[in-house]
Amino acid sequence: MKSRLNRTTESKTKKQLIISIVGIVVLLFVLFKFGIPALTNLSLFLSSKNSSSQDSASSSHAVVPPPVMNEQFSATNSASITVNGTAASKTTVQLFVNSSLIDSQSVKDDGTFSFTGVNLTQQQNTIQTKAKTDKAISNFSDTWTITYLQKAPSLSVDSPHDNDSFDSSHPTVVVSGKTDPDNRVTVNGFWAIVDSSGNYSYTLALQNGDNHIDVVATDAAGNTTKQSLTVHHAQ
């Protein structure tokens, strides 16, 4: 006499066998009735349903793109600046100065953001941003590096000297001296040649009588230093 467990197992096996047979019969009926294209369409439908489920799961873990800042300049003589740019809609932008989080704000309806009165704390400053939602946060944006320059640039005029005199055999004079590297120098409004060490020179044509010479050095932040002298030329 078979045990109750054996009878239960046999009953489940029979049910599974009947279900399998019915499934095969249905597939054969569809195949003969509608042909292979129907089976293909059924397979594609089931595949698309599975793909849609996967896409839905992926979208729930969507990556937030980092903001894009408008980098307006690389140096400034102002202690505070404005940082603006664009970011994905419905996100909050975080502002980092020298790796420290200092402010955050929601992106406007037009996809822009603007932080005003951002203080610079050292000579070389790094500005970065991130965008975040309730469920995700972006990587850092590209880094905006700003040099904060407070001091006026150095400037010397080594030649000529104030009140020097030149005769008719010297129709020109070479104005030369030194400033900080990467500065621009003008002599009476004309650009002088400046080498990588800050040495500059400009050949100035002399007029008869007194010649006033203005030499101006300008750094990347717009700070200026001016030196003025007068030389005399007799024809």
Side-chain angles (χ1 to χ4, degrees), residues 5 17 33 44 66 88 127 146 151 161-162 170 197 215 221-222 230:
L5 178 61
L17 180 61
K33 182 70 176 178
L44 291 174
I127 311 295
I146 305 174
K151 292 183 178 181
H161 301 100
D162 193 26
H170 296 85
S197 298
V215 183
T230 300

Side-chain angles (χ1 to χ4, degrees), residues 32-189:
F32 284 105
K33 182 70 176 178
F34 302 102
I36 293 178
L39 290 179
T40 302
N41 291 334
L42 178 62
S43 175
L44 291 174
F45 172 76
L46 294 176
S47 176
S48 65
K49 292 290 287 183
N50 183 53
S51 176
S52 297
S53 298
Q54 292 178 349
D55 291 343
S56 176
S58 297
S59 63
S60 64
H61 297 88
V63 175
V64 180
V68 177
M69 293 184 292
N70 300 326
E71 301 182 19
Q72 303 139 355
F73 42 80
S74 60
T76 181
N77 55 14
S78 176
S80 64
I81 63 170
T82 296
V83 179
N84 51 44
T86 58
S89 61
K90 298 181 181 180
T91 60
T92 297
V93 176
Q94 297 178 322
L95 176 65
F96 296 80
V97 177
N98 300 321
S99 301
S100 297
L101 175 62
I102 65 166
D103 202 355
S104 63
Q105 65 176 234
S106 298
V107 175
K108 299 175 184 177
D109 293 340
D110 61 358
T112 64
F113 63 88
S114 181
F115 296 93
T116 58
V118 179
N119 292 323
L120 303 178
T121 59
Q122 56 195 43
Q123 182 173 351
Q124 199 81 357
N125 298 270
T126 58
I127 311 295
Q128 294 173 298
T129 54
K130 282 186 175 183
K132 63 173 294 187
T133 64
D134 293 337
K135 297 181 179 180
I137 188 168
S138 74
N139 294 325
F140 276 114
S141 65
D142 290 340
T143 301
W144 180 13
T145 302
I146 305 174
T147 303
Y148 173 37
L149 299 173
Q150 294 176 279
K151 292 183 178 181
S154 66
L155 175 65
S156 67
V157 180
D158 301 330
S159 177
H161 301 100
D162 193 26
N163 294 319
D164 277 353
S165 294
F166 299 90
D167 58 26
S168 58
S169 64
H170 296 85
T172 62
V173 62
V174 176
V175 182
S176 62
K178 190 173 178 63
T179 185
D180 303 313
D182 300 322
N183 286 348
R184 295 170 295 173
V185 175
T186 61
V187 177
N188 287 357

Side-chain angles (χ1 to χ4, degrees), residues 218-235:
T218 306
D219 65 20
N223 299 305
T224 62
T225 298
K226 181 178 178 180
Q227 298 274 12
S228 296
L229 64 149
T230 300
V231 298
H232 185 77
H233 180 245
Q235 289 183 346

